Amino acid sequence: MTVRIGAKLPNSGSLPETIGIGAMARALESAGFASAWVSDHIVMPASIESRYPFAADGRATWSPETPYIDALIALALAAAATERVRLGTAVLVLPLRNPVEFAKQAASIDVATGGRLEIGVGAGWLREEFEALNVPFARRGARLEEWMEIARACWTGRPDARRSEWYELPGDVVCLPTPAHEIPLLVGGHSRAALERAGRMGDGWLAQQSLPELAPERLREAVATMRGAATAAGRDPERLRVVLRLVESAGRREELARALPELGGAGVDEIIVDIPWDEDGPDAYAGLLRDAAAALASSRARRPSSPAVQRGSAPRS
């Protein structure tokens, strides 16, 4: 088993202006990272009252004054600057967007990249953002599921007519171009509803933990819940991927390398790490993690009784 190594492509803060999204995407690809992922917020409240679900104290870990380049525009910029690296969102708050317009944008990026796009989607947690965009916060999970269905229908080129309490799509619509490949939709979130959604209708789960508070056992239990939901829905659970966004991981490359065996054992196929964009940047991180991933794969291969299976590849050199 090897764990693929992806990296966060900063589309927030000062780096998109000082370095440039295209330049950072090229640097990640040149360093050998398997993938590059952006995050998503459309607007932020001046004061965040909603509970942030990925921090123990429920407080958001960044200032609401932080500027965000739109996630899909950031991916388009990265697409124009790269040739091989996979590009994704970790995660896109899909209920905030028009599903047909989203499908068009995603298909366009996928065609431009020759089939390198992956989309992590989530129901969202920031009530104030929903209110600012005039989108109901209640039942956002159900809306997410319908938006996923609409997007996949649009990606066929000729979606069937559909009508629900949220959306009416006529039956004479043509949505072109169609994507260059079947765009994976990885479902984010840690609630039981999110895990079961990932198993029932997603192409996998996009998890998030902080490196200092890493809990592989919790990941293992969550993966089991997702795969159980897939089995119950008549789907093959082994076809679902697990991608883990590791926040607070910049400047901790040795700690990251040591964590790979446990993460692989917990069912993680790929991690997304933070990169310090200074002298200890993408090349240094990619080299150490590539060596650690290769050593993990080699040690597994030398143990014929191991139940582990090959799940991916380390960053290319």
Side-chain angles (χ1 to χ4, degrees), residues 6-27:
K8 175 71 166 60
L9 174 59
N11 62 312
S12 61
S14 62
L15 293 177
E17 293 185 48
T18 59
I19 300 178
I21 288 174
M24 288 188 289
R26 280 194 301 272

Side-chain angles (χ1 to χ4, degrees), residues 280-296:
D280 187 23
D283 288 316
Y285 260 64
L288 180 70
L289 293 175
R290 180 171 54 246
D291 292 345
L296 172 60

Side-chain angles (χ1 to χ4, degrees), residues 194-214:
L195 295 170
E196 292 181 348
R197 183 178 298 125
R200 281 188 293 105
M201 60 183 305
D203 295 294
W205 178 41
L206 207 158
Q208 178 170 313
Q209 285 190 357
S210 72
L211 183 59
E213 299 174 357
L214 194 62

Side-chain angles (χ1 to χ4, degrees), residues 222-268:
V223 170
T225 297
M226 175 191 70
R227 297 198 189 283
T231 300
R235 307 179 72 207
D236 181 358
E238 295 306 315
R239 293 179 63 86
L240 303 182
R241 294 179 57 231
V242 177
V243 179
L244 173 62
R245 168 86 172 95
L246 277 170
V247 299
E248 299 181 60
S249 53
R252 298 171 180 264
R253 52 183 181 169
E254 289 82 7
E255 190 176 345
L256 279 167
R258 290 194 300 269
L260 287 180
E262 277 193 297
L263 293 176
V268 174

